[in-house]
Amino acid sequence: MIKLAVVGTGDIAQTHARAIQQLGTCELVALVNHRTESMQAFGEVFSVPVSRHYVTIEALINAGDVDAIIICTPNFLHASQSIMALTTGIHVLVEKPMAMTANEAQMILDAHTKSDAVLQVAHCWRFDEEVQFMRDQIASGIIGNVIRTKGYSAHVNWGPSGWFTQKALAGGGALADMGIHAIDTVRFLLGDPKPISVYATIGTYYGDYDVDDTGIITVTWDNDITSTIEFGWWQPHSDGIGASTQFYSTGGFAQLFPTTIQITDSTTRQLTTIETDYPAKRDPHVPLSIYINQIDHFVNCIQSRQTPIADGHVGFVNMQIVSAAYQSSKLNQVINI
Ligand SMILES: NC(=O)c1ccc[n+]([C@@H]2O[C@H](COP(=O)([O-])OP(=O)(O)OC[C@H]3O[C@@H](n4cnc5c(N)ncnc54)[C@H](O)[C@@H]3O)[C@@H](O)[C@H]2O)c1
């Protein structure tokens, strides 16, 4: 059985620990957190003995007897912790965003090329059943050729605090936190095209912090599709639940959340709706199943030496888009990637 440790024992680490418990094909054997009290509380809930609690990732690595780690720390630690683990042959599932900048993400990729270990980035929406269904539908051509997409990922009347709102610790604000989910989801749904250019307007309107809480990005892809992506914290409104992506195509329309497919009749131009069985998601709209599927995939990739569907390069391309968007907004110009 694959032996896992979580690094950071905050919110998302709890979700991963619950997913590991449900999965049953791997076990949570160790914890890392510089705050021992919170680590102890976490250890009690998830039955990880104090003898396997470590205050640094170095101490975990020196103790040995762990196959893989899930990095659930603030973003500024993702690159150094990933590189340290990969260098010693420990498999890494690192939370999104994989790093603070594209340059940092590149450093992780460099460490990965010299390592035999598996590197997966926790772009969790790739493991959602509806997202996978929609990807297959779009790839089948059921709505013709996609021309443009429109999506968002936003918190309505809510936003995080603490390290999430400090640039030095998070790298960015709502774009790095929320926008990256919408970027990765649309890219996955379109079959992972390469971004060609990025234009963005990003700002801070709702809080007293040095990161962004509102923005719009336009990405052009190498398959001639254009995507607009909106993101934010503390937004006064969203068009539905916290995230959605729409596809405008030559032969119809599709939408993720609520999942809808409409085919255009080529003669009458009337739209026919294809019924799907997915019940409408409600906020908070993230089911535990996607985290279970995500860790299941990670464990399978370790055991069969496959490349994950959210590998380091996927995370890197997302970071290229994020970094280009911040640069575009600052310079008020299109950034070619
Ligand atoms: N995929 C998702 O759906 C999703 C959801 C939430 C958060 N995240 C990502 O997960 C990461 C963590 O977010 P969170 O909401 O759990 O944050 P959090 O603040 O709740 O938890 C961070 C944890 O890291 C610990 N920590 C801080 N410095 C440390 C160090 N030097 N060594 C070890 N541990 C340290 C903190 O004590 C805390 O336990 C972020 O990158 C975030 O973007 C992803």
Side-chain angles (χ1 to χ4, degrees):
M1 206 183 265
I2 297 291
K3 292 178 182 169
L4 292 165
V6 287
V7 182
T9 52
D11 276 356
I12 199 64
Q14 293 186 34
T15 305
H16 287 303
R18 280 200 293 277
I20 292 166
Q21 277 181 335
Q22 297 249 337
L23 198 53
T25 57
C26 50
E27 59 178 326
L28 181 60
V29 298
L31 308 175
V32 180
N33 196 328
H34 66 309
R35 292 173 57 223
T36 50
E37 260 179 45
S38 103
M39 183 157 57
Q40 272 166 22
F42 190 101
E44 274 165 31
V45 174
F46 295 104
S47 308
V48 181
V50 175
S51 59
R52 303 274 355 235
H53 293 187
Y54 303 93
V55 290
T56 63
I57 188 171
E58 291 91 331
L60 169 79
I61 291 169
N62 289 338
D65 205 24
V66 65
D67 301 307
I69 60 170
I70 307 180
I71 298 179
C72 307
T73 47
N75 304 344
F76 76 99
L77 292 164
H78 291 184
S80 60
Q81 292 178 334
S82 298
I83 291 167
M84 209 174 293
L86 291 168
T87 306
T88 50
I90 292 175
H91 308 287
V92 171
L93 172 57
V94 58
E95 263 303 341
K96 48 55 61 177
M98 76 184 287
M100 304 236 285
T101 61
N103 287 344
E104 267 193 14
Q106 181 64 59
M107 287 159 65
I108 303 177
L109 291 191
D110 292 345
H112 183 234
T113 57
K114 295 180 206 138
S115 169
D116 285 337
V118 169
L119 170 62
Q120 183 174 326
V121 183
H123 286 301
C124 54
W125 286 102
R126 289 181 180 239
F127 301 95
D128 180 83
E129 205 188 327
E130 283 174 75
V131 172
Q132 292 181 346
F133 165 80
M134 188 58 81
R135 188 181 200 242
D136 291 347
Q137 294 300 309
I138 288 167
S140 76
I142 190 171
I143 55 168
N145 297 326
V146 179
I147 300 163
R148 66 185 176 93
T149 77
K150 190 169 85 169
Y152 68 85
S153 179
H155 286 314
V156 175
N157 292 326
W158 187 82
S161 54
W163 67 264
F164 278 98
T165 59
Q166 296 170 52
K167 191 167 186 225
L169 306 183
L175 171 55
D177 180 36
M178 307 289 290
I180 198 162
H181 278 305
I183 291 168
D184 184 64
T185 304
V186 73
R187 184 163 180 259
F188 179 62
L189 287 161
L190 294 176
D192 285 312
K194 285 189 186 141
I196 299 294
S197 69
V198 173
Y199 179 71
T201 46
I202 300 171
T204 307
Y205 302 93
Y206 296 102
D208 182 18
Y209 32 59
D210 65 353
V211 293
D212 50 289
D213 55 25
T214 302
I216 303 178
I217 303 178
T218 302
V219 182
T220 54
W221 307 100
D222 68 349
N223 53 8
D224 290 336
I225 297 170
T226 302
S227 294
T228 55
I229 297 151
E230 302 175 0
F231 55 87
W233 296 329
W234 297 106
Q235 300 297 297
H237 170 84
S238 94
D239 290 342
I241 59 160
S244 175
T245 303
Q246 298 178 333
F247 300 84
Y248 296 79
S249 294
T250 52
F253 169 81
Q255 175 175 283
L256 192 65
F257 311 145
T259 297
T260 313
I261 297 173
Q262 294 180 312
I263 315 283
T264 311
D265 183 290
S266 55
T267 313
T268 64
R269 308 305 297 166
Q270 294 295 306
L271 288 169
T272 304
T273 300
I274 309 274
E275 298 298 336
T276 65
D277 291 338
Y278 297 109
K281 279 186 166 62
R282 292 176 192 279
D283 279 327
H285 59 282
V286 192
L288 184 64
S289 60
I290 73 176
Y291 297 98
I292 297 173
N293 296 344
Q294 176 171 253
I295 294 181
D296 189 34
H297 182 69
F298 181 50
V299 167
N300 285 336
C301 288
I302 292 169
Q303 288 169 333
S304 60
R305 294 296 157 156
Q306 278 174 60
T307 302
I309 62 168
D311 66 358
H313 196 259
V314 163
F316 169 72
V317 171
N318 290 332
M319 286 311 304
Q320 278 187 308
I321 295 170
V322 167
S323 289
Y326 282 128
Q327 197 188 358
S328 166
S329 183
K330 193 172 161 196
L331 302 176
N332 189 24
Q333 66 185 44
V334 174
I335 304 297
N336 293 315
I337 293 183

